[in-house]
Amino acid sequence: MASEHIIINNEKQLHFEFHEGDEIAFIEYRFHNNNIALMHTLVPKSMEGKGIASALAAYAFKYAKEHNKPVMVYCPYISTYLKRHPELLDQIASKD
């Protein structure tokens, strides 16, 4: 399903975004040292149940891998996503 969602990186807002009409779903991120911190996921009610949050999370992890950025997770949705995708756990930043 993720392939049908066009995600953009809004570098000014520090968001990975999906646009539908006037509404925007996003994951907010920050950079810390060499890491990327996934802070918050927001999907408007009108977009719920369409796999958009999952597509955003997949994009965020792909971005992190392509840019060699270990991932710091602060977002509850991303924590849940990781339980369904344990193959991504090797991208999580160490606690050191």
Side-chain angles (χ1 to χ4, degrees), residues 53-55 57-59 61 76-86 88:
S54 185
Y59 184 95
F61 277 92
Y77 175 78
I78 298 297
S79 294
T80 300
Y81 182 82
L82 280 170
K83 289 176 185 169
R84 287 182 275 149
H85 297 277
L88 298 172

Side-chain angles (χ1 to χ4, degrees), residues 22-96:
D22 292 336
E23 301 209 273
I24 301 171
F26 64 86
I27 291 178
E28 179 183 342
Y29 65 88
R30 298 286 180 265
F31 294 110
H32 177 71
N33 298 329
N34 187 46
N35 301 331
I36 185 169
L38 303 180
M39 307 300 293
H40 179 65
T41 302
L42 178 84
V43 176
K45 286 252 184 239
S46 65
M47 294 186 198
E48 288 179 357
K50 299 179 181 179
I52 294 167
S54 185
L56 286 165
Y59 184 95
F61 277 92
K62 181 179 180 219
Y63 174 91
K65 187 171 193 163
E66 289 174 352
H67 292 84
N68 199 28
K69 300 265 181 219
V71 178
M72 300 169 71
V73 178
Y74 294 95
C75 171
Y77 175 78
I78 298 297
S79 294
T80 300
Y81 182 82
L82 280 170
K83 289 176 185 169
R84 287 182 275 149
H85 297 277
E87 70 276 9
L88 298 172
L89 290 172
D90 64 338
Q91 287 186 246
I92 301 302
S94 65
K95 304 274 189 208
D96 307 352

Side-chain angles (χ1 to χ4, degrees), residues 1-7 51 54-56 58-59:
M1 229 191 220
S3 61
E4 69 186 48
H5 299 116
I6 299 172
I7 312 293
S54 185
L56 286 165
Y59 184 95

